[in-house]
Amino acid sequence: MTDTTTIAVFGATGRTGRPLVEQALGRGVDVVAFVRDASGLDVDHEHLTVVEGDAYTGTNVAEAVAPGGDPVDAVVSVLGQSDETPDDLLTVAGRNVMAAMRDHGVDRYVTLTGAGVRTDRDDPSLGGRAMNAVMKLVARDVLADASTHAKAVADSDLRWTIVRPPRLTEDAATGEYAAGYLRLGARERLPREDLATFLLDCVEDGTYVGDLPNVTN
């Protein structure tokens, strides 16, 4: 990477976190993987440090942001909700991560929400509007949490990027993506491996700072 040699990854054992960690290590980046259970990350690498903790309670978050007191260059969060997580996971965990970043002088933050989070610059297709309406009905708490988290990040003094992909898949990587304020439809899909590539590119290239890009194939 150009100016970044160490990143902290929150959500490292998730379906996006795992390819993110593997790709970062493949690029020669030192990775601090923040996990709730180290046994869930079966990756062994000399440039990988694993920190166990709980982003929601704040336990050991600071140790991931500044392992051994040495701050990382950037933080990438791919935390996501499930049936077992609190309704305000992103909001509370994000608050804890950003506090630790400020305490240790780390200002580059790339975080993941979803395409359901809207901005004034969006021009969704009819299908995209329909999908957003459905999400408000069936995943209201998830969408509210993502939106609240996005607002807190955007209001911060960090060098932030909020990435908003469409539905994610386990398909093989294509090696290509389109990013920006896109007119996403209800059928848009993106392999998680391609999302991981985009997240790392944002850190490496310093692009989309202060922006909320969509990304899709």
Side-chain angles (χ1 to χ4, degrees):
M1 284 195 168
T2 306
D3 297 316
T4 300
T5 57
T6 308
I7 64 171
V9 176
F10 285 81
T13 56
R15 288 180 292 172
T16 301
R18 187 178 300 272
L20 176 63
V21 169
E22 292 174 346
Q23 287 186 35
L25 293 170
R27 295 190 188 194
V29 178
D30 290 334
V31 177
V32 182
F34 187 85
V35 301
R36 295 194 67 179
D37 183 356
S39 65
L41 186 65
D42 56 351
V43 179
D44 185 18
H45 197 284
E46 61 179 334
H47 293 292
L48 175 66
T49 300
V50 179
V51 175
E52 284 188 326
D54 188 333
Y56 188 77
T57 64
T59 305
N60 286 342
V61 167
E63 178 58 27
V65 171
D70 189 12
V72 299
D73 298 292
V75 171
V76 182
S77 175
V78 289
L79 292 169
Q81 286 200 354
S82 70
D83 293 338
E84 301 175 354
T85 57
D87 289 342
D88 57 353
L89 172 67
L90 297 186
T91 300
V92 176
R95 186 186 306 143
N96 291 333
V97 170
M98 289 190 288
M101 291 177 66
R102 293 189 188 95
D103 288 346
H104 293 281
V106 179
D107 69 348
R108 185 66 173 117
Y109 187 33
V110 178
T111 186
L112 185 66
T113 61
V117 173
R118 298 295 193 199
T119 79
D120 293 339
R121 294 181 61 179
D122 291 330
D123 181 25
S125 65
L126 181 60
R129 291 191 180 98
M131 181 61 69
N132 193 249
V134 170
M135 285 192 63
K136 288 180 179 179
L137 290 174
V138 303
R140 181 182 298 273
D141 292 339
V142 173
L143 183 57
D145 181 35
S147 298
T148 303
H149 170 58
K151 185 178 187 308
V153 174
D155 288 342
S156 75
D157 56 356
L158 301 173
R159 296 175 59 246
W160 55 267
T161 302
I162 298 169
V163 179
R164 301 178 299 146
R167 180 178 174 182
L168 298 173
T169 74
E170 308 303 324
D171 295 340
T174 67
E176 299 179 356
Y177 60 75
Y181 290 88
L182 308 177
R183 204 163 192 262
L184 298 181
R187 297 183 179 180
E188 299 288 343
R189 302 289 187 273
L190 180 69
R192 292 179 186 275
E193 290 189 4
D194 285 331
L195 172 60
T197 298
F198 175 68
L199 293 167
L200 288 170
D201 287 347
C202 283
V203 176
E204 179 179 34
D205 301 336
T207 50
Y208 296 106
V209 174
D211 246 336
L212 298 90
N214 299 118
V215 55
T216 191
N217 288 138

